[in-house]
Amino acid sequence: MRVVERLQFVNGLIAIAIFAVAPLFLGGLPDLPAPFRIVYWVCVALVALIFLLVAGSPVVFRRDTRTYLLVGLFVLAAYTGAALGSTYGFSIMLLAVTTAVWASFVPLRVSILTIAVLLPASTALMALVNGQASVLTCTWYAVLTLIVAAFVLIGVEQTAAVERARAESEAANRALREAQARLREHSAAEERLRIARELHDVVGHRLTGLTLTLEAARHLPPAEAQHYLDSAHRTGKELLAQVRTVVSELRDADSAEASSLTELARAWPGMQVSITDAELLDSAPDALRHATVRLVQESLTNAARHGAAGHAWVTLETADETFTVVVRDNGAGAPTAVEGNGLRGMRERFDALGGSVVWRGAPTGGFIVQASAPLRPTSADQPATTKEQV
């Protein structure tokens, strides 16, 4: 038991001991008829035994039918014993403990109803059995008992309120810790996803360009291949620098700036890239500009790697506060496209901005990727804009 429960248990034992033993040292019990004297001692024994069981044993203390019956019998025995042995005024101590025990099991209104029923009955029994008790004595007994019971009920309710507040505080703290843990997990997952997209876009784009450059150099005489080898060397160095940049984003999410569209257009040997209205990207928000560069980069990588395209066109448009980018090529194309890491990264980036991405094979060959997003950021709880059809 906790310290408070131990103190309550000791107080109850002291009150019961005083009620049962003290009259023996003060001239004994009043002159009760034999049947009532036996009832008194039976009640004293029941009160002591049930209090030990209920307040002292965590097993019996559980809120079940058996415990309620025991506590109810304890209350009846206490009020009966108090009425029979109230000459010396120690009954009030016993009834205070009884009120506290009963109030810890039942709601406040039930405790008040119990006092309202049993206190008059106990007072009437006291007047009936003890002929020496005057009306004033019985009234004084009832009033004092009522005052003490009210005081005990208020104390029990205050203690219960404190316990409820403590339990609610602990529950709120647990919920807060769980929410913080979930937030950390969600943030970590978002960060891993962001880094995975960046590594895929940066490394995949550069490696594709490096492979195409080396492939072109492999089929040329050494003198003519030197230019491609120098280009491959620069691409390798740029790849290393970009990987370092992505890694540094773990410390500063805004430190890395995406490559410009002009730089992307020059990175594809054997494929010509035309860009229309590239300056529109300068006025776009940072997040949208970054997403657009990554989308163009991934689209050109796919066009060179999978479509063997000789020409690609990148078109930027703004209308009605909406920014649109379209990338198309004259490569082999595909009737359907399986969403891999690259296409998924495109979609996730524009979804996060409240926009959308669509793609399909062109009827005359090649592949088309179109993305759009609002120029002004939208709140997270607003629905995403309707996907535009290519």
Side-chain angles (χ1 to χ4, degrees):
M1 294 187 293
R2 293 180 300 176
V3 176
V4 176
E5 294 174 342
R6 290 195 186 99
L7 292 176
Q8 293 173 343
F9 179 66
V10 172
N11 288 338
L13 292 180
I14 293 173
I16 294 172
I18 291 176
F19 171 77
V21 178
L24 299 178
F25 297 95
L26 297 174
L29 294 173
D31 188 15
L32 296 173
F36 288 108
R37 184 179 295 270
I38 296 173
V39 170
Y40 171 79
W41 285 112
V42 170
C43 289
V44 170
L46 286 175
V47 166
L49 178 62
I50 295 176
F51 183 80
L52 288 172
L53 287 174
V54 172
S57 173
V59 177
V60 184
F61 196 70
R62 292 177 302 180
R63 267 48 172 183
D64 54 19
T65 304
R66 179 182 59 178
T67 305
Y68 280 106
L69 290 176
L70 285 175
V71 177
L73 182 60
F74 169 79
V75 174
L76 291 175
Y79 271 92
T80 303
L84 297 176
S86 62
T87 303
Y88 300 102
F90 299 124
S91 301
I92 296 177
M93 296 179 61
L94 175 64
L95 295 182
V97 173
T98 302
T99 301
V101 173
W102 185 237
S104 65
F105 280 84
V106 297
L108 178 62
R109 60 180 181 274
V110 177
S111 296
I112 295 175
L113 180 61
T114 301
I115 296 172
V117 172
L118 293 184
L119 182 56
S122 177
T123 305
L125 179 61
M126 170 186 152
L128 176 65
V129 174
N130 190 352
Q132 299 177 356
S134 62
V135 175
L136 181 60
T137 302
C138 294
T139 303
W140 186 241
Y141 161 79
V143 170
L144 283 181
T145 302
L146 185 61
I147 293 174
V148 171
F151 179 78
V152 170
L153 285 179
I154 293 174
V156 170
E157 284 301 308
Q158 289 177 335
T159 303
V162 171
E163 287 294 319
R164 286 194 297 269
R166 182 184 61 81
E168 292 173 358
S169 177
E170 291 179 353
N173 287 334
R174 286 195 301 270
L176 178 60
R177 289 192 295 269
E178 293 172 358
Q180 289 174 337
R182 288 194 296 269
L183 180 60
R184 285 193 297 270
E185 293 175 359
H186 178 72
S187 299
E190 288 291 326
E191 184 66 8
R192 287 194 298 269
L193 180 60
R194 185 181 68 84
I195 294 171
R197 286 197 300 256
E198 289 298 308
L199 287 176
H200 172 271
D201 291 345
V202 171
V203 176
H205 158 66
R206 293 294 183 180
L207 285 179
T208 300
L210 181 60
T211 301
L212 293 174
T213 302
L214 293 175
E215 182 66 22
R218 190 166 67 90
H219 296 88
L220 295 174
E224 298 179 13
Q226 186 61 42
H227 171 71
Y228 288 94
L229 293 177
D230 292 340
S231 177
H233 181 257
R234 288 194 302 270
T235 300
K237 292 177 65 176
E238 291 172 359
L239 173 60
L240 180 60
Q242 291 231 355
V243 169
R244 288 172 177 169
T245 300
V246 171
V247 172
S248 69
E249 287 183 348
L250 288 170
R251 300 178 180 89
D252 185 0
D254 297 325
S255 63
E257 186 67 30
S259 301
S260 68
L261 295 182
T262 304
E263 292 175 351
L264 288 177
R266 294 196 299 261
W268 304 100
M271 183 174 70
Q272 182 182 356
V273 179
S274 302
I275 302 178
T276 303
D277 296 330
E279 66 278 1
L280 294 178
L281 192 62
D282 297 335
S283 60
D286 291 344
L288 179 56
R289 184 164 61 250
H290 183 81
T292 300
V293 171
R294 292 306 187 212
L295 179 138
V296 172
Q297 179 178 287
E298 178 64 21
S299 299
L300 295 179
T301 300
N302 290 338
R305 178 188 299 170
H306 304 298
H311 201 152
W313 296 266
V314 179
T315 303
L316 307 181
E317 299 175 355
T318 56
D320 299 328
E321 294 298 320
T322 300
F323 179 87
T324 302
V325 54
V326 179
V327 182
R328 60 187 180 90
D329 62 73
N330 63 352
T336 59
V338 178
E339 184 179 287
N341 291 327
L343 294 177
R344 184 182 303 113
M346 295 182 192
R347 177 178 52 78
E348 290 172 346
R349 282 194 176 93
F350 276 84
D351 284 348
L353 298 174
S356 62
V357 179
V358 292
W359 52 76
R360 69 176 179 85
T364 58
F367 199 73
I368 302 176
V369 177
Q370 176 178 324
S372 61
L375 285 171
R376 296 181 181 179
T378 57
S379 58
D381 55 351
Q382 291 179 343
T385 57
T386 305
K387 290 186 176 181
E388 300 185 42
Q389 299 297 323
V390 177

